[in-house]
Structures are given as C-alpha cells and as structure tokens.
Amino acid sequence: QVQLVESGGGLVQAGGSLRLSCVASGRTFSNYGMGWFRQAPGKEREFVAAITSSGGTTYYKDSVKGRFTISRDNAKNTVSLQMNSLKPEDTAVYYCASGGSSGIWTTPRGYASWGQGTQVTVSS
C-alpha cells in the first residue's frame, strides 16, 4: 500500500511563496504519475497540478499556470509543488496523490492513494 506524507504548508502573505513536498513509499515511485489537489472549506476537491512518471510532462490548473511548478525526484521518491505569487484564493488544504498509471489525470478518480493533506493559508 502506498503511503504519502506531505510537508511544507503554512501561513504566508499574499505575493509570498511556499514549497510543498510529498514523500512516497510502498511501491515503485517512478512507475506512476503524481498529482496535487486542494480543497477549500465548503468546496469540492480540485485539481492543481500533475506530472507524468518520468517527469517529462506536466499539467496545471489554469489559475496557477505561471505561478506554480510541479517537479519530482524519482531517486528520492519525492514530488514537490513550488508555489509563487500566492493569492488569498489559494488558501486550502493541499493533497498529494499517487496515480494508477504513468500518465496525467486531472480528476480524483485517476488517483489510487492520497496523503493526509497540508494546510496552506494566504493572508491578504
């Protein structure tokens, strides 16, 4: 069973930056695509970014393009989300997810395992 542990959340002022990390264990990390989702209070979980198993292809939610960067280090079983120019509307619990295949999925159904989440709060 895959285990995912996120870290790096916190409180930041608008315009600031945070870097989220997710360490995976339990299966061959380099075989599977990875994704980041977020969920704000009272809202559904939404896709933020995803990356293929090799790291060669990435995909982003329109509102984070140019501000967020997803990356992975297969040698360290780690996927990261660098978030710059943060806005109050980015406030949410951010979840790391491990895909069921090597590709990219933008819906939760494409992901087999989830981390516990890390809170990101952006103050105005």
Side-chain angles (χ1 to χ4, degrees), residues 36-40 43-48 61 63-64 67-68 83 86-87 89-95 114:
W36 286 95
F37 285 73
R38 66 188 182 189
Q39 188 166 17
K43 296 187 177 181
E44 292 187 352
R45 190 169 298 189
E46 65 175 6
F47 170 79
V48 176
K61 175 181 174 64
S63 64
V64 309
R67 300 189 297 123
F68 290 12
M83 305 186 295
L86 282 161
K87 304 176 181 180
E89 52 264 42
D90 294 319
T91 294
V93 177
Y94 282 70
Y95 297 91
W114 296 81

Side-chain angles (χ1 to χ4, degrees), residues 8 17 21 29 69 108:
S17 298
S21 293
F29 179 75
T69 302

Side-chain angles (χ1 to χ4, degrees), residues 31-35 50-53 57 72 99-105 110-111:
N31 286 352
Y32 299 95
M34 298 292 293
I51 188 167
T52 53
S53 59
T57 302
R72 66 189 296 159
S101 69
S102 62
I104 284 177
W105 292 81
Y111 294 86

